[in-house]
Amino acid sequence: MLHPLSVLVLHGPNLNLLGQREPGIYGSVSLAEINRLLEAEGLKLQAQIFPMQSNHEGILVDAIHEALAQHQGILINAGAYTHTSVALRDAIAAVKLPTVEVHLSNIYRREDFRHHSYIAPVAIGQISGFGVQSYLLGLQALVHHLRNYKL
Ligand code: CA2
């Protein structure tokens, strides 16, 4: 019997628009559908997921701080804050919860300003470019890390 895990899933700015706009870049799947797929994947992995989305940097920082008391790991798509936010990076570094960074698009095939991630150096790893599958692969990698290197 595996120990049940609790994972905070953070979605950053504009990801609430998924499925409604720009399907060419980000696909036609909505955020609610991504969360349902993650929940189903979590069931297989015996990990409960707790998704939240915010367009506000400070709310994401607060969620990372609060995760320390409730979760064993963080799966994050910080959206555009990936490329701008020292505050999110510092929050992840401060709580020291294993964190996996994911992106729907391949950020290295896009504009230069998307090539740098402030999150990457404080994450255990990054998955970028596989659409919704990035999230599912990211959850698998995080749970594998938590089960094999943390407990
Ligand atoms: O590829 C990713 O997952 C990104 O994190 C998405 C961010 C972008 O700023 C990053 O460079 C890469 C943007 C999310 C915006 O999502 C939208 C969804 C539908 C319509 C408009 C934006």
Side-chain angles (χ1 to χ4, degrees):
M1 170 74 180
L2 287 173
H3 181 72
L5 294 169
S6 174
V7 171
L8 176 66
V9 177
L10 284 181
H11 305 284
N14 296 310
L15 288 161
N16 54 308
L17 298 177
L18 279 179
Q20 300 168 39
R21 289 164 204 275
E22 302 208 57
I25 304 179
Y26 299 118
S28 55
V29 179
S30 69
L31 195 61
E33 283 161 347
I34 291 177
N35 288 335
R36 274 194 290 276
L37 290 166
L38 280 169
E39 203 181 327
E41 188 65 28
L43 268 180
K44 291 185 210 161
L45 301 166
Q46 298 199 33
Q48 198 174 355
I49 65 129
F50 293 84
M52 75 157 269
Q53 187 275 332
S54 180
N55 295 320
H56 304 276
E57 192 174 13
I59 290 177
L60 294 165
V61 170
D62 287 343
I64 292 166
H65 293 175
E66 284 156 20
L68 195 50
Q70 303 166 45
H71 307 290
Q72 282 85 50
I74 301 174
L75 184 70
I76 185 168
N77 182 351
Y81 288 145
T82 304
H83 320 297
T84 63
S85 181
V86 178
L88 282 180
R89 174 204 181 114
D90 285 352
I92 293 166
V95 298
K96 292 193 171 68
L97 282 174
T99 296
V100 171
E101 174 184 358
V102 298
H103 297 285
L104 293 156
S105 61
N106 179 347
I107 57 175
Y108 304 101
R109 289 182 68 168
R110 301 184 63 192
E111 302 95 325
D112 284 355
F113 66 84
R114 296 187 204 273
H115 295 181
H116 177 261
S117 166
Y118 280 102
I119 311 291
V122 295
I124 55 176
Q126 183 198 71
I127 298 174
S128 173
F130 297 97
V132 177
Q133 200 64 23
S134 291
Y135 282 91
L136 302 179
L137 293 167
L139 182 62
Q140 287 167 15
L142 178 60
V143 169
H144 184 269
H145 176 90
L146 291 171
R147 294 220 182 280
N148 292 284
Y149 301 105
K150 279 303 276 189
L151 298 180

